[in-house]
Amino acid sequence: MRSRFSAYAVGDSDYVWRTWHPRTRPDEVHPDTRTSWTALEVLEAVGDTVEFRAHYEGPEGRGVLHERSLFSRRAGRWFYVKAR
């Protein structure tokens, strides 16, 4: 989760795409370049689920994305599957 947030923060869409589960990932990832991701709070990580708040600044001001994400471990690596 933290590495994906960091990738969004620095605009590394290739990393975001590579860490998305092949079953659910889009053909391409195009982050909104008008959005700056500023902070991550991991609220809970239990098994394959992570609840977090990702803080950002965008065209409409500051905001927070609050999500519970499902991950799957494959070949020793974690992949984002979907929001719950």
Side-chain angles (χ1 to χ4, degrees), residues 25-47:
R25 73 179 164 216
D27 293 334
E28 297 179 1
V29 175
H30 299 288
D32 185 348
T33 57
R34 301 170 303 159
T35 301
S36 295
W37 295 96
T38 58
L40 175 67
E41 296 175 80
V42 175
L43 304 174
E44 184 176 51
V46 178

Side-chain angles (χ1 to χ4, degrees), residues 2 13-14 16 22 34 46 48 57 63 68 71 74 76 81:
R2 291 182 194 281
S13 57
D14 183 56
V16 172
R34 301 170 303 159
V46 178
D48 58 2
E57 291 186 28
R68 290 179 65 86
F71 287 82
R74 299 180 63 194
V81 177

Side-chain angles (χ1 to χ4, degrees), residues 1 4 16-17 19-26 48-50 67-74 77-84:
M1 179 65 238
R4 286 178 54 84
V16 172
W17 187 85
T19 58
W20 207 313
H21 196 285
R23 187 181 59 210
T24 59
R25 73 179 164 216
D48 58 2
T49 303
V50 177
E67 182 176 300
R68 290 179 65 86
S69 295
L70 176 65
F71 287 82
S72 176
R73 192 169 179 128
R74 299 180 63 194
R77 294 179 51 203
W78 287 101
F79 292 86
Y80 171 79
V81 177
K82 65 179 181 176
R84 290 193 153 188

